[in-house]
């Protein structure tokens, strides 16, 4: 084997029931930018792609019908996005009419997240960036040490996020 890996991650592919509906959702709601649109599959600049589920199933398994009508990859997959403004993000998602798995919730590590479904039922999580979380906790009066303990992040990283680097 050489020094260079033979593999490199390229994209995540979601198999969807209606490419046009999903394309509209991912461009309008999730603000994805299309890199290549081939009709039956669409690649976004972020390394996410959508494929027509029947087409994908036929290419992969030689059978366009799974028998249960489920052409998606939703069972054990979550797409993760981050935001600087959870309140504004939640309002936008609510206005878009997404089906929430849960509204904005503070996770055990103190990050605010919301989970919802795309048109095919794939789960999407939007979480506040961890530097935003750390600054929110600091603004509430927590010390760097308390933030590190409650987020399970190393103290040095918390201090860096708060601009308290020791130099």
């Amino acid at each position: 084997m050489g020094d260079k890996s033979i593999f490199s991650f390229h994209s995540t592919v979601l198999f969807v029931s209606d490419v046009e509906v999903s394309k509209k959702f991912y461009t309008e709601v999730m603000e994805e930018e299309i890199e290549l649109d081939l009709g039956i599959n669409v690649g976004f600049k972020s390394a996410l792609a959508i494929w027509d589920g029947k087409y994908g199933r036929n290419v992969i398994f030689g059978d366009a019908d799974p028998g249960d009508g489920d052409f998606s990859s939703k069972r054990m997959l979550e797409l993760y996005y981050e935001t600087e403004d959870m309140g504004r993000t939640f309002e936008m998602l609510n206005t878009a009419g997404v089906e929430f798995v849960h509204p904005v919730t503070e996770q055990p590590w103190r990050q605010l997240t919301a989970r919802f479904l795309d048109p095919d039922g794939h789960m999407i999580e939007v979480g506040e960036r961890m530097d935003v979380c750390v600054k929110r906790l600091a603004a509430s009066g927590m010390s760097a040490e308390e933030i590190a303990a409650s987020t399970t992040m190393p103290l040095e990283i918390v201090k860096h996020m708060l601009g308290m680097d020791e130099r």
Side-chain angles (χ1 to χ4, degrees):
M1 298 202 190
D3 290 339
K4 189 173 186 312
S5 172
I6 61 171
F7 297 107
S8 65
F9 178 78
H10 182 270
S11 61
T12 298
V13 177
L14 300 177
F15 297 98
V16 301
S17 58
D18 187 321
V19 171
E20 290 304 313
V21 168
S22 291
K23 182 168 58 173
K24 180 177 167 119
F25 174 82
Y26 281 98
T27 56
E28 293 180 9
V29 177
M30 301 311 299
E31 300 177 346
E32 292 284 353
E33 291 183 55
I34 295 173
E35 186 169 54
L36 181 64
D37 185 344
L38 300 174
I40 54 175
N41 59 46
V42 177
F44 300 100
K45 290 182 179 179
S46 67
L48 174 67
I50 55 176
W51 278 34
D52 175 270
K54 288 182 183 180
Y55 170 78
R57 182 167 179 83
N58 192 48
V59 166
I60 295 165
F61 300 109
D63 175 12
D65 187 359
D68 61 2
D70 185 359
F71 300 101
S72 74
S73 47
K74 65 188 172 195
R75 287 193 172 88
M76 289 304 296
L77 177 75
E78 174 183 271
L79 299 178
Y80 175 71
Y81 290 79
E82 289 187 331
T83 183
E84 291 182 27
D85 186 340
M86 201 61 183
R88 192 171 127 233
T89 298
F90 183 74
E91 286 178 27
M92 184 276 295
L93 293 170
N94 211 19
T95 299
V98 302
E99 180 184 342
F100 284 95
V101 174
H102 66 74
V104 177
T105 303
E106 189 174 79
Q107 298 300 307
W109 55 92
R110 307 296 306 266
Q111 179 188 34
L112 297 178
T113 68
R115 287 184 174 88
F116 54 97
L117 304 177
D118 80 356
D120 283 276
H122 298 103
M123 187 164 35
I124 300 172
E125 175 185 356
V126 176
E128 69 182 334
R129 285 193 345 236
M130 284 308 292
D131 63 313
V132 173
C133 173
V134 165
K135 290 173 184 164
R136 175 177 55 80
L137 296 173
S140 76
M142 291 178 73
S143 69
E145 290 77 14
E146 290 169 325
I147 295 169
S150 68
T151 63
T152 71
M153 293 179 66
L155 180 59
E156 316 81 68
I157 292 175
V158 170
K159 284 184 174 182
H160 176 73
M161 289 177 172
L162 294 174
M164 301 169 66
D165 294 287
E166 296 174 19
R167 297 185 188 217

